Amino acid sequence: MNNEPRQNPYEVLGVEKDADARAIKKAYFERVRQNPPETHPEEFRRLREAYELLSDPEARQAFDASAAQQADGPAAAGKAHLQEAINLFEAGDKDGGRKVLTTLLTEQPDFHDARLLLGRHFLFEGEFQQALAEFDALLARAPDHWQGHLQRGWALIRLERLKEAADAFWRAGKHGPTEVGPRVALADCLEAMGQVADSLKVLEQAQSLPGISRMDVLALKVRRIATMLEYGQEADAAKELERLDAELPEDADPELRRWAGGQLTAAAAHLFAQQKSQGANRLLAFGRRFNPESATEVAYPTRVTVEVDALPSVTREWLHSEAERIGGWRVLTTWVMPAIFTLICATALCFLLAFIYLGTAERGVWEWLGCAVVAALGFGAMCFQARYLLRVMASPYGRFNTIHPLHLIQVAIDRITVWPLVHLQDLKLVEHQNNGVYQHTNIQLRFNDQRMVMAVRGKEKAESLAQELIARRRRVLELLGRGMLDAESGVEHLPPALLAGADKKGHVRAPDAPSPWPGMFAAAGIGVLLVGGAVWPQKRSSAEHAWMRVAARADLGPMLEYLREHPDPRFAPQLQARVDAELGKARTRLEARLDPGSAAAPSRAFFTGLLDAVSRTHSRRVTVTYQAQEGARTPQDDPSELLVSAWQRAVDEALGQGVLVVDGGRGSQHEGPALMTLHVQEGIQAGSPSSQRIWSVKQEGLDLPVEPLELVADAADPRASEALFHAWVDRWHLPGAGDRRPLLLTASTLVQEARP
């Protein structure tokens, strides 16, 4: 408190002593416009003190009660002493003020205003027991003094004796039947006790007090709505808001509508303090209907990102001054990292294009689509990174944090992130150390459901910044609750209406700023076109590489695979000639082996047809399948692998090794589809004196001069499989006909071949 004598607040604001709250607020704002704090700081301070005193009903009542009046006798002297005590309290002389009041009460023990002032002084100083004693003494002499019961209730609240406090507030209302204050205090106490329904009922009943003004009724309704929103009764609150809107149509008294908007704003400030941001914003948005001229009584988003080009000139000037004060100008490190990332992206794209154009492996459709997608993403990212580098180079700012009167602001190159302090709900300081050495302090902030972290070097600096944020939030809520936020210095630097224009994602873009998406899509399209342009030359290159790889080998398999999978017109005739030459060598070996006088000479047409089919279909795979009658054989007796081996030996003997490949139906994919399939189905025919094994043999896939066979052997013969296969060889006149050396290397034949 200052030592200057208190000026009459009514005279400072130029209002009558019976002026209502609406007239006082109107007079205050008119004089603040005439005396802004930037040019008239002292006058603004006096206006603000006068408004704060008169806007507090209890403080105003105490001032009116203690104001010196022109009168004679002991009453005038008592009021003079009362004013003397008030002046001493305001001057900071607590002991002097108490001494004056104590002396006054000794002389006039029934001077209730003096005892009430002394009790309020103890209450303000935190001496709750002494305050309670004074209020009890007052009520002992004046049991019907409603203000004594009211102040006694507040003292009991501070002592956490809620039930007794509720009783005191009820008695205050009983003895002050037309007073609103005791009912509001009782509702607060019941709410603190968890009796929300009773609290709402008290507020509703208070609206019917005799002689209550319309403004008090509106204030009580707003209070009920705020309580409903605080405790999750959104549906009921919505109904009450609609009723309030119906009571104050657009053609109603403008001053009354603005006053109702101020009450909604004060209730919103209370909800913000209770961390009920959603309900608070709902009240602010609704109150905007009543007070559209206010620049600060608007709904506040949790976070908004604003491009610097979208800021008004006054905000840019303020940012320049903050950058000058904090040292937030662009420095070397601001653009070095974006430049490095841009260079990395460009280098990666060069390697990608080199891989796409110079790769020698043949690619399928899905591989080319994958390359196109990667190129599109890469070129899009390159466009985004290059655009960001240009933004960095064009912006004068670096990265810094600053505190606006209403917000915490993070400046990052060409955009700012605004965090309204009304949403600040938690703040923690976390020190980071490395091997026991202090590095920095993280200030962890929670704004509703979103979090942000600021790294600050220096413990004292971090603590000072945290305290400033807490103090600034407290001041914002205090001024918002009193309807004085519009007059706060610096609010105009970042108009709240600008933040209200954010899109659903919380972004405010410059009006003429080009969207980055067309450029990124165009870059992605260029990447796709470059990949498409690489398809034909890369296919030629891969075909040449595949041809060179095949041409360097003399194996028939890779040549056939190339002709089957990659029939390039440039190399296919030459490679076909090489295949025919290799097959010609096989025919020569066949002619030498199957001379006209041999028993297998009739099989020349069979093998010649096979070689012609190899040249035509570019496949050299022969499949032998075996199927036994169900239950006729065990896995140990299965001759399918022996048949495959025997046929491989037969074709190798007739044509030479590496010409045909025989498998059991599970051949390598590189060999292609089966050229011919030999089906063997075994059955058992029971009879006397012994059963017989029967092989049904047929060929599928080629039109060859061979007939289906049905071969029979004794099932009891351990060499039955070999006998059946030799019969097959004999009937088809294959190599080995007439020569009884073993072709099926069964256990019995292996023993015979081992003998000298």
Side-chain angles (χ1 to χ4, degrees):
M1 299 181 180
N2 56 50
N3 295 324
E4 298 178 3
R6 171 188 284 178
Q7 293 185 344
N8 190 318
Y10 297 102
E11 296 177 358
V12 173
L13 294 179
V15 296
E16 300 295 333
K17 291 186 178 182
D18 58 350
D20 58 13
R22 181 176 50 172
I24 292 172
K25 185 174 182 179
K26 180 179 179 181
Y28 168 70
F29 279 112
E30 288 180 353
R31 280 158 177 74
V32 166
R33 293 190 191 99
Q34 299 170 4
N35 302 276
E38 294 83 359
T39 57
H40 301 77
E42 290 300 322
E43 183 63 25
F44 174 76
R45 180 182 62 79
R46 286 192 289 270
L47 289 171
R48 181 174 168 183
E49 289 179 353
Y51 178 74
E52 289 181 352
L53 189 148
L54 296 182
S55 60
D56 185 347
E58 296 183 5
R60 180 180 178 180
Q61 190 174 29
F63 175 81
D64 292 341
S66 62
Q69 299 179 359
Q70 297 297 326
D72 299 327
K79 292 179 180 179
H81 288 303
L82 195 64
Q83 183 61 47
E84 180 185 359
I86 292 175
N87 293 336
L88 289 173
F89 285 142
E90 290 187 347
D93 188 0
K94 301 175 185 178
D95 295 334
R98 293 180 186 180
K99 184 177 180 180
V100 169
L101 290 177
T102 303
T103 303
L104 181 59
L105 288 171
T106 302
E107 297 173 354
Q108 302 181 38
D110 290 330
F111 195 176
H112 303 319
D113 288 344
R115 194 172 298 279
L116 194 66
L117 178 61
L118 182 58
R120 285 171 56 86
H121 166 72
F122 284 130
L123 193 61
F124 179 78
E125 294 296 328
E127 301 177 20
F128 306 132
Q129 288 291 352
Q130 292 89 330
L132 182 61
E134 293 297 332
F135 298 138
D136 286 340
L138 186 152
L139 294 174
R141 292 180 172 273
D144 297 338
H145 198 290
W146 71 269
Q147 290 186 358
H149 286 289
L150 179 64
Q151 297 300 327
R152 182 174 183 274
W154 287 122
L156 291 169
I157 286 284
R158 300 298 189 277
L159 294 171
E160 299 182 357
R161 294 157 60 177
L162 299 183
K163 291 185 178 181
E164 297 178 59
D167 180 71
F169 292 140
W170 178 83
R171 293 179 183 278
K174 177 183 177 181
H175 298 296
T178 63
E179 300 297 332
V180 177
R183 275 74 179 179
V184 175
L186 177 58
D188 288 340
C189 186
L190 292 173
E191 181 182 333
M193 296 168 63
Q195 301 177 18
V196 179
D198 293 336
S199 174
L200 294 174
K201 186 176 181 179
V202 168
L203 292 174
E204 184 178 11
Q205 292 174 348
Q207 299 174 27
S208 304
L209 290 175
I212 188 172
S213 67
R214 189 179 182 187
M215 297 174 63
D216 286 339
V217 172
L218 292 175
L220 290 170
K221 289 185 176 182
V222 171
R223 179 58 186 274
R224 288 188 77 242
I225 294 171
T227 303
M228 292 175 182
L229 290 174
E230 183 176 356
Y231 288 93
Q233 301 179 21
E234 288 82 3
D236 295 336
K239 295 178 182 178
E240 293 294 329
L241 284 173
E242 293 302 325
R243 292 180 187 142
L244 182 63
D245 191 27
E247 291 183 20
L248 294 172
E250 293 184 1
D251 57 351
D253 183 1
E255 291 298 328
L256 185 61
R257 284 175 59 86
R258 278 194 289 270
W259 184 87
Q263 293 297 306
L264 289 168
T265 302
H270 171 74
L271 290 179
F272 277 129
Q274 300 300 319
Q275 300 186 358
K276 303 291 183 179
S277 296
Q278 185 176 359
N281 270 338
R282 189 168 182 178
L283 289 181
L284 288 174
F286 192 87
R288 188 72 177 165
R289 306 181 188 182
F290 301 137
N291 193 10
E293 298 177 357
S294 175
T296 57
E297 296 176 7
V298 297
Y300 291 91
T302 302
R303 182 185 69 175
V304 178
T305 301
V306 186
E307 294 182 358
V308 171
D309 292 340
L311 298 174
S313 57
V314 63
T315 307
R316 296 185 193 179
E317 294 174 1
W318 177 73
L319 279 182
H320 275 67
S321 63
E322 290 298 294
E324 185 73 28
R325 180 178 64 86
I326 298 175
W329 299 113
R330 188 186 69 199
V331 294
L332 180 65
T333 56
T334 307
W335 61 268
V336 165
M337 291 308 297
I340 291 176
F341 282 126
T342 305
L343 180 61
I344 291 174
C345 287
T347 305
L349 285 179
C350 291
F351 278 108
L352 175 63
L353 293 177
F355 168 76
I356 292 174
Y357 276 87
L358 303 179
T360 57
E362 184 176 359
R363 303 188 181 102
V365 175
W366 290 108
E367 291 176 302
W368 280 112
L369 287 176
C371 291
V373 170
V374 173
L377 294 176
F379 274 84
M382 177 64 190
C383 176
F384 177 82
Q385 187 61 39
R387 188 173 181 273
Y388 177 69
L389 178 61
L390 293 177
R391 285 177 15 222
V392 171
M393 299 302 295
S395 174
Y397 306 113
R399 297 179 182 274
F400 65 94
N401 302 319
T402 185
I403 300 178
H404 178 266
L406 304 183
H407 318 287
L408 170 63
I409 296 179
Q410 292 178 294
V411 181
I413 312 301
D414 63 340
R415 62 189 58 192
I416 65 173
T417 303
V418 181
W419 300 86
L421 292 174
V422 292
H423 295 298
L424 179 59
Q425 296 182 356
D426 191 19
L427 185 150
K428 295 181 181 178
L429 298 179
V430 180
E431 294 184 1
H432 285 255
Q433 300 181 352
N434 186 9
N435 295 327
V437 179
Y438 172 82
Q439 299 294 318
H440 65 275
T441 300
N442 278 348
I443 303 179
Q444 300 178 355
L445 304 161
R446 179 167 64 88
F447 294 82
N448 287 340
D449 57 344
Q450 300 187 34
R451 299 179 182 274
M452 64 91 63
V453 178
M454 291 191 301
V456 180
R457 295 189 178 276
K459 298 180 182 179
E460 295 182 357
K461 185 177 179 181
E463 292 176 357
S464 175
L465 181 58
Q467 293 174 0
E468 184 178 358
L469 286 170
I470 295 173
R472 174 55 59 180
R473 177 183 184 270
R474 186 184 301 113
R475 177 166 178 77
V476 168
L477 294 181
E478 179 183 354
L479 295 178
L480 184 66
R482 295 182 178 179
M484 300 169 60
L485 200 55
D486 283 334
E488 179 72 348
S489 176
V491 170
E492 70 281 357
H493 294 156
L494 190 60
L498 177 67
L499 306 183
D503 57 22
K504 293 181 179 180
K505 296 183 178 180
H507 300 302
V508 177
R509 305 188 185 280
D512 301 327
S515 174
W517 293 110
M520 294 177 63
F521 282 127
I526 292 174
V528 173
L529 291 177
L530 289 175
V531 172
V535 174
W536 185 77
Q538 198 277 337
K539 279 186 173 293
R540 289 180 60 88
S541 176
S542 64
E544 292 175 358
H545 183 76
W547 157 249
M548 294 174 60
R549 195 168 60 245
V550 171
R553 301 175 61 182
D555 189 1
L556 187 61
M559 290 188 286
L560 293 175
E561 181 184 359
Y562 182 86
L563 289 172
R564 187 173 60 252
E565 303 291 342
H566 316 285
D568 193 297
R570 294 176 296 166
F571 311 115
Q574 184 178 355
L575 195 58
Q576 183 67 47
R578 291 188 59 181
V579 169
D580 292 340
E582 292 295 326
L583 296 178
K585 295 178 182 179
R587 286 189 177 90
T588 301
R589 287 192 293 271
L590 178 65
E591 293 293 335
R593 175 69 179 84
L594 302 180
D595 58 289
S598 68
S603 65
R604 181 182 292 108
F606 175 80
F607 285 106
T608 301
L610 281 176
L611 294 177
D612 291 341
V614 171
S615 176
R616 184 176 64 256
T617 63
H618 304 139
S619 176
R620 60 173 183 169
R621 180 177 165 218
V622 177
T623 300
V624 179
T625 64
Y626 170 83
Q627 183 177 3
Q629 183 177 346
E630 185 176 356
R633 284 197 173 263
T634 63
Q636 291 79 7
D637 299 330
D638 186 1
S640 57
E641 296 296 331
L642 299 176
L643 286 174
V644 171
S645 300
W647 263 97
Q648 187 68 64
R649 291 174 62 196
V651 297
D652 288 348
E653 183 178 343
L655 304 175
Q657 293 185 350
V659 179
L660 295 178
V661 176
V662 183
D663 59 55
R666 298 179 296 274
S668 172
Q669 295 180 354
H670 298 291
E671 299 296 343
L675 179 67
M676 180 182 67
T677 302
L678 300 175
H679 298 285
V680 179
Q681 185 170 6
E682 181 176 338
I684 302 297
Q685 182 177 0
S688 60
S690 63
S691 60
Q692 294 181 329
R693 290 175 59 188
I694 302 175
W695 279 10
S696 297
V697 179
K698 63 178 180 179
Q699 177 269 141
E700 181 184 5
L702 292 178
D703 185 14
L704 295 176
V706 293
E707 297 295 333
L709 302 177
E710 188 168 304
L711 309 174
V712 180
D714 185 4
D717 186 358
R719 300 177 60 186
S721 296
E722 184 178 350
L724 289 170
F725 187 75
H726 274 292
W728 188 357
V729 169
D730 292 342
R731 295 277 296 275
W732 277 13
H733 304 290
L734 297 175
D739 185 359
R740 293 306 176 190
R741 62 188 180 82
L743 290 176
L744 284 175
L745 297 179
T746 60
S748 60
T749 57
L750 286 173
V751 172
Q752 290 181 3
E753 287 198 343
R755 295 174 182 173

